[in-house]
Amino acid sequence: MTPLSAVGRSAEKASRRADSPLSPLLRLLILTQLAFNIGFFAVLPFLAEHLGQGVGMAGWLVGFVLGLRTFSQQGLFVVGGALADRYGIRPVVLTGCVLRIAGFGWLGYAERTWAVVGAVLLIGFAAALFSPAVESEVARQAVLWEKESGGDRTRVLALFTVAGQAGAFVGPLLGALLLAVDFRTACLAGAGVFVLVLAGHAWLLPQHLPGRARVRAGGGARLLLRNRPFLALCCAYGAYLLAYNQLYLALPAEVERAAGSQAPLAWLFALSSLLVVTAQLPVTRWAGERLTPRRSMVAGLVLIAGGFAVVALARPAGWTGEGGLVPAAGFVVLLTLGQMLVAPVARAWVPDLAEDGRLGLYTGALSSVSGLIVLAGSSATGLLLDGGLPVAVPWLALAAVPLAAVALLPRGHRARSSRTDT
């Protein structure tokens, strides 16, 4: 056998390992993300209109209730992650499903402010339980799959992202159909989805999962706060999320200016979701073959900055109509491409920065810390957009956010086999 043919056979074997099938547990968890988002987004996009028109809440109160939902979910991810470390994901996920079923059922019948607030808090806290539990277990099992197959764990996290985006795309379509009856029907259908998820997990989710260490009691938060590389990743990821959040803040204002209404916004959101569903896996494969994790995140952040720069350069011309929407579409495309390079890699990086047995805590902290950054940064962004500045300045300032995040990224690239058990 010649050396060249030996190299060729080795490469072929490595390719077969990289394409090896996922474990049944990983497939279950990825399908979980799809089902979670279908049930969630069948209700969430229509909540604000229901609170304002159906319940009769004032605008400020609607905003307050939506903010409470975000806080009870994103802000408490770190709690859900710590509980998953301590007790395992099965009881945490099942409890989260029960609470989400109760919350959606309650919301469907809630007519007074206190009842709506209680239902929304329950819905948010349910997600704070099962989302970090599922995400951390996907990351843990992806590391094990990487060690056993020779593949790239980022592929698994990318598939998880695709499932979530597919659910976020299908969910509103289902909700829109159900709203033809009424909002209560949409809520009960969302609860029904989680009944199916609960039954499936009670049956299929193992009691004891491979690769899970027994967590030590106490001390996790102190070690996390001393973990400078992880905190640097949290800050960089938070800056990325702040930029991505402009899909819901800066983009609607730009679409309103260019088109005279926000009707085209739904098409731009659909464009973003379809890009992720169709292109995430090819982009991840391409980046995994050519870029280190840090360089992948740098490339993604630069693309996101480029999206803001496109609008900044076009904004002084004051284009309107269909032509005025072209920069907004360019912004969505570049932002989404950047998301594909940043999000799966960041989550795949966490297991190498987490302490042994604390992956749930660290996964939850990544969401909670970055959520706080988005909360603080969104207020500043609102002032920036309404500040009467030259039209290009707010978009140039927003372009600087992902560029600044490049400097925050931990130095060095991920050690792909640093831990067997996190």
Side-chain angles (χ1 to χ4, degrees):
M1 181 185 298
T2 66
L4 186 59
S5 63
V7 170
R9 291 196 176 189
S10 298
E12 184 180 353
K13 289 180 180 178
S15 177
R16 283 200 303 266
R17 287 197 303 269
D19 292 330
S20 62
L22 302 181
S23 67
L25 176 58
L26 270 173
R27 291 198 294 270
L28 172 65
L29 295 172
I30 289 169
L31 287 174
T32 295
Q33 180 71 354
L34 173 65
F36 279 175
N37 277 8
I38 289 176
F40 183 64
F41 284 98
V43 177
L44 181 67
F46 314 104
L47 179 57
E49 182 179 0
H50 169 71
L51 296 181
Q53 302 297 324
V55 181
M57 287 186 176
W60 70 268
L61 189 53
V62 172
F64 177 71
V65 170
L66 295 179
L68 277 179
R69 188 209 63 80
T70 301
F71 172 77
S72 65
Q73 176 173 326
Q74 202 80 10
L76 297 179
F77 261 43
V78 65
V79 176
L83 290 173
D85 286 338
R86 184 72 180 88
Y87 300 105
I89 76 161
R90 181 182 169 89
V92 176
V93 167
L94 296 183
T95 302
C97 288
V98 170
L99 294 181
R100 178 56 68 86
I101 293 166
F104 274 159
W106 189 4
L107 182 63
Y109 287 90
E111 297 180 353
R112 297 185 179 182
T113 299
W114 68 266
V116 170
V117 169
V120 165
L121 287 174
L122 197 58
I123 289 169
F125 183 60
L129 289 180
F130 56 64
S131 288
V134 170
E135 290 174 14
S136 63
E137 197 58 43
V138 167
R140 189 191 327 275
Q141 297 302 322
V143 171
L144 293 176
W145 175 82
E146 180 181 68
K147 292 178 182 297
E148 293 169 358
S149 71
D152 184 357
R153 76 183 74 162
T154 307
R155 172 194 156 194
V156 178
L157 276 298
L159 193 57
F160 189 72
T161 299
V162 170
Q165 282 292 335
F169 182 73
V170 173
L173 300 178
L174 174 63
L177 291 174
L178 295 170
L179 281 177
V181 183
D182 57 17
F183 182 77
R184 179 177 296 169
T185 301
C187 286
L188 295 179
V193 171
F194 282 93
V195 169
L196 296 176
V197 172
L198 174 63
H201 282 69
W203 180 34
L204 297 172
L205 196 60
Q207 292 281 356
H208 303 289
L209 302 179
R212 173 174 287 278
R214 184 180 297 275
V215 69
R216 301 180 305 277
R222 184 177 67 255
L223 291 172
L224 187 152
L225 292 174
R226 293 177 180 176
N227 192 328
R228 292 184 179 181
F230 175 72
L231 294 178
L233 179 64
C234 286
C235 291
Y237 192 73
Y240 144 72
L241 280 182
L242 177 60
Y244 186 78
N245 199 54
Q246 301 317 307
L247 279 175
Y248 311 103
L249 189 58
L251 180 63
E254 174 62 14
V255 169
E256 179 81 31
R257 181 204 65 80
S261 75
Q262 292 192 10
L265 200 58
W267 294 103
L268 293 175
F269 284 166
L271 172 64
S272 177
S273 293
L274 287 173
L275 276 174
V276 174
V277 171
T278 58
Q280 176 70 76
L281 293 179
V283 168
T284 299
R285 184 181 293 274
W286 175 87
E289 292 172 350
R290 293 168 175 80
L291 303 173
T292 65
R294 189 178 192 278
R295 288 180 178 176
S296 179
M297 290 192 69
V298 168
L301 291 167
V302 170
L303 281 173
I304 292 170
F308 288 106
V310 166
V311 180
L313 292 174
R315 189 67 178 80
W319 295 329
T320 58
E322 292 181 359
L325 290 172
V326 171
F331 166 72
V332 169
V333 169
L334 290 174
L335 187 71
T336 305
L337 288 174
Q339 174 202 7
M340 291 187 227
L341 289 169
V342 171
V345 170
R347 295 198 172 277
W349 204 337
V350 173
D352 295 310
L353 301 176
E355 301 294 330
D356 288 344
R358 305 283 186 184
L359 184 54
L361 173 67
Y362 279 70
T363 300
L366 179 69
S367 293
S368 292
V369 173
S370 57
L372 290 174
I373 291 172
V374 172
L375 182 62
S378 293
S379 300
T381 301
L383 292 174
L384 186 68
L385 293 172
D386 295 334
L389 297 170
V391 291
V393 170
W395 290 89
L396 289 174
L398 289 168
V401 172
L403 293 179
V406 171
L408 298 174
L409 287 170
R411 292 291 171 182
H413 65 281
R414 194 176 72 221
R416 293 185 179 271
S417 57
S418 61
R419 285 183 173 90
T420 301
D421 173 53
T422 46

